[in-house]
Amino acid sequence: MSDGHWVPPTVLLTVDLVIFTLRESELHVLLIERGVDPYRGALALPGGFLNHEQEDLLPAAHRELAEEAGLGPDRLHLEQLGIYGMPGRDPRGRVVSVAYLAITPRLPEPLAGTDAAEASWTPVAQALSGEAPLAFDHQQILTDGVERAREKLERSALATAFCGPTFTIAELQAVYEAVWGVRLDPRNFYRKVQSVDGFIVPAGPTRKTDGGRPARLFRSGPRTTLHPPMTRPQDLPGKEKT
Amino acid sequence: MSDGHWVPPTVLLTVDLVIFTLRESELHVLLIERGVDPYRGALALPGGFLNHEQEDLLPAAHRELAEEAGLGPDRLHLEQLGIYGMPGRDPRGRVVSVAYLAITPRLPEPLAGTDAAEASWTPVAQALSGEAPLAFDHQQILTDGVERAREKLERSALATAFCGPTFTIAELQAVYEAVWGVRLDPRNFYRKVQSVDGFIVPAGPTRKTDGGRPARLFRSGPRTTLHPPMTRPQDLPGKEKT
DNA sequence: TAAATAGTGTCTGTAAGACACTATTGA
DNA sequence: TCAATAGTGTCTTACAGACACTATTTA
């Protein structure tokens, strides 16, 4: 401990991104096919090393987001998910990864301007199924990201980040149903989101088509935290006593 | 990006601990007075560099906990709080800190066997008051730790980690009041915690003295998550509409 | 018109908050 | 006995969930 010659070990830092979106009412995550060697050919979360010693973590995450998904910093939620530093997780040495969670509306498919053209949206259920194991410990990171997103939907207005600038209440409901993996009653959902003041606000005189009556359009309101929270059904991992 | 000679920058990793306890019904945090140079003489969270390149993060946190607070890994909650890596936060170079949150019952004061004898329990309000600024960005880390602890009390059974092996409901209530900074109705609190199945279980035939009627003793039960959650009053940062 | 989706009204059960009341101790 | 804390009962209000019902579109 007081060895005058001891020097602390250094590590390599990477930033990895869990980028979620919704497609066909299903939660998708952006994965890339690795073109270089550890885990070459395997699917992995987008990410990479810090560029230089002075690069801050959040900007690095935004840089990766732009490089690998073509997504600018606008309108984009990005939050720290956790740090993954188990020795041996990366065969190249001691590599510690800072994971960030990002959420984006559905994009025009091509991911134009993307550095890694092999980037593709993959259903989360498929990515976690194990049929094509993810590189490194990215399965764990993705699992944690899903759980974090589920929690965020309960207490924050983040669900609107999955939607475009305007959206119907049914579309917002589809977000909750996809992320939580449940079915919700449209009438109760309708009243609930309307009753949370500032969550969503009417947009324009508005209408839109589907197959039935046109729905009003909304945009996300100023409120970022939800009180009372949206309640997730099956939220009862605890009635074992019955 | 494809410069064959580019090598990723390395960083130094530290583990910092936010260790909370309750003393005289007030939330306290363990701080040490720094004996070495950056910020020598200032108060700081306990922590330190990784010992060697193969050391995992959580074990490193436990090691620091033992070295600086004399706390073994038993009965001790320790969870990742976040990562703090702003360039320039440490004058020694690029140092990235992984912060952990720990909670412990009130200890016999001396912190026996502690490596840093200068460790002392400080009221959180005082530590955050700015009258004696903390080293590095530890004020931010501590602020985040407090908020995390507040959230954990809502949805997890973590509050019992502040108490000894057995405790009265009034003692448990004091934990909530101290961490949340609110007053709770003892009768409603009593019924609430009793109604959450498996949160606390009766301990012994039991009694204890204070100044009034003796209280039953409890110990923490098998339940780790609380459903429905404990509701934090003033939980309404959103009724601005009035 | 039927089918489909949007949106409203209303009932019921659960639980939070307020608070009167009883119980059991020490002084 | 009073003061203090432990513990119970009950009322009110709010809200989640269930679901009947109306409204507005396309086919």
Side-chain angles (χ1 to χ4, degrees):
Chain A
M1 226 82 64
S2 41
D3 175 356
H5 295 91
W6 174 84
V7 290
T10 60
V11 305
L12 294 172
L13 255 200
T14 64
V15 172
D16 287 324
L17 300 173
V18 178
I19 312 173
F20 285 136
T21 197
L22 212 65
R23 325 197 110 214
E24 287 92 46
S25 299
E26 207 184 344
L27 187 65
H28 284 61
V29 61
L30 189 70
L31 297 178
I32 58 157
E33 188 181 328
R34 286 184 60 82
V36 296
D37 221 341
Y39 296 97
R40 173 187 299 224
L43 290 172
L45 297 172
F49 290 107
L50 284 191
N51 248 355
H52 55 272
E53 203 190 86
Q54 289 311 306
E55 189 176 35
D56 201 356
L57 299 173
L58 189 58
H62 273 117
R63 174 177 56 74
E64 293 291 343
L65 199 56
E67 287 177 10
E68 312 235 31
L71 296 172
D74 339 326
R75 285 185 18 76
L76 195 71
H77 179 82
L78 198 56
E79 85 171 34
Q80 210 180 89
L81 182 57
I83 182 165
Y84 297 82
M86 200 180 77
R89 64 183 286 279
D90 190 318
R92 289 167 293 189
R94 188 65 197 270
V95 178
V96 170
S97 173
V98 184
Y100 281 84
L101 176 67
I103 287 174
T104 175
R106 191 195 162 118
L107 301 170
E109 177 72 67
L111 293 166
T114 298
D115 201 34
E118 328 79 359
S120 62
W121 293 108
T122 307
V124 167
Q126 180 185 325
L128 290 177
S129 69
E131 63 184 74
L134 302 185
F136 308 108
D137 49 5
H138 288 186
Q139 164 136 359
Q140 180 63 51
I141 298 176
L142 176 56
T143 300
D144 293 348
V146 171
E147 184 49 34
R148 175 71 67 92
R150 287 180 170 156
E151 289 167 7
K152 295 294 286 185
L153 254 49
E154 292 183 59
R155 308 178 77 91
S156 80
L158 193 57
T160 59
F162 281 100
C163 302
T166 63
F167 48 86
T168 67
I169 288 184
E171 286 165 3
L172 188 60
Q173 180 180 341
V175 171
Y176 278 89
E177 292 184 333
V179 177
W180 283 350
V182 298
R183 300 291 300 177
L184 301 172
D185 183 296
R187 293 97 86 192
N188 291 335
F189 184 85
Y190 192 97
R191 261 186 299 95
K192 172 66 186 182
V193 295
Q194 291 268 50
S195 74
V196 179
D197 214 74
F199 182 12
I200 58 175
V201 297
T206 60
R207 38 158 297 158
K208 209 173 186 181
T209 53
D210 269 344
R213 171 177 173 177
R216 292 184 233 165
L217 288 177
F218 295 83
R219 63 170 54 91
S220 65
R223 171 76 44 92
T224 56
T225 61
L226 266 30
H227 291 278
M230 300 292 291
T231 48
R232 160 156 56 149
Q234 206 74 339
D235 206 17
L236 324 155
K239 292 281 180 186
E240 312 96 344
K241 211 40 187 316
T242 323
Chain B
M1 223 84 64
S2 41
D3 175 357
H5 295 91
W6 174 84
V7 291
T10 60
V11 304
L12 294 172
L13 255 201
T14 63
V15 172
D16 287 323
L17 300 174
V18 179
I19 313 173
F20 285 136
T21 198
L22 212 65
R23 324 197 112 214
E24 286 91 47
S25 299
E26 207 184 344
L27 187 65
H28 284 60
V29 62
L30 189 71
L31 297 178
I32 58 157
E33 187 180 329
R34 286 183 60 81
V36 296
D37 222 343
Y39 295 97
R40 175 188 299 226
L43 290 173
L45 298 172
F49 291 106
L50 283 191
N51 248 355
H52 55 272
E53 204 191 86
Q54 289 312 303
E55 188 177 36
D56 200 355
L57 299 173
L58 189 58
H62 272 117
R63 175 178 55 73
E64 293 291 343
L65 199 56
E67 287 177 10
E68 312 235 30
L71 297 171
D74 337 327
R75 286 181 20 74
L76 195 70
H77 180 83
L78 198 56
E79 85 172 33
Q80 209 179 89
L81 183 56
I83 182 165
Y84 297 82
M86 201 181 76
R89 63 184 286 278
D90 189 318
R92 289 168 294 189
R94 188 65 196 271
V95 178
V96 170
S97 172
V98 184
Y100 281 84
L101 176 67
I103 286 174
T104 176
R106 192 194 161 120
L107 302 170
E109 176 72 65
L111 293 167
T114 298
D115 201 32
E118 328 78 1
S120 62
W121 293 107
T122 307
V124 167
Q126 179 185 326
L128 290 177
S129 69
E131 63 183 75
L134 302 185
F136 308 108
D137 49 4
H138 288 185
Q139 164 137 358
Q140 180 63 51
I141 298 176
L142 177 55
T143 300
D144 294 348
V146 171
E147 182 50 34
R148 175 70 68 91
R150 286 180 170 156
E151 289 167 6
K152 294 295 286 186
L153 287 204
E154 292 184 59
R155 308 178 77 91
S156 80
L158 193 58
T160 59
F162 282 100
C163 303
T166 63
F167 48 86
T168 68
I169 289 183
E171 287 164 2
L172 188 60
Q173 180 180 341
V175 170
Y176 278 90
E177 291 184 333
V179 176
W180 283 350
V182 298
R183 300 291 301 178
L184 301 172
D185 183 295
R187 293 97 85 191
N188 291 335
F189 184 86
Y190 193 97
R191 261 187 299 96
K192 171 66 185 181
V193 295
Q194 291 268 50
S195 75
V196 179
D197 215 74
F199 182 12
I200 58 175
V201 297
T206 59
R207 37 159 297 159
K208 209 173 186 181
T209 53
D210 269 341
R213 170 176 173 177
R216 293 184 232 165
L217 288 177
F218 295 84
R219 62 170 55 91
S220 65
R223 170 77 43 93
T224 57
T225 61
L226 266 29
H227 291 278
M230 301 293 291
T231 48
R232 162 156 55 147
Q234 206 75 338
D235 206 14
L236 324 155
K239 292 280 180 185
E240 312 95 344
K241 214 33 186 324
T242 320

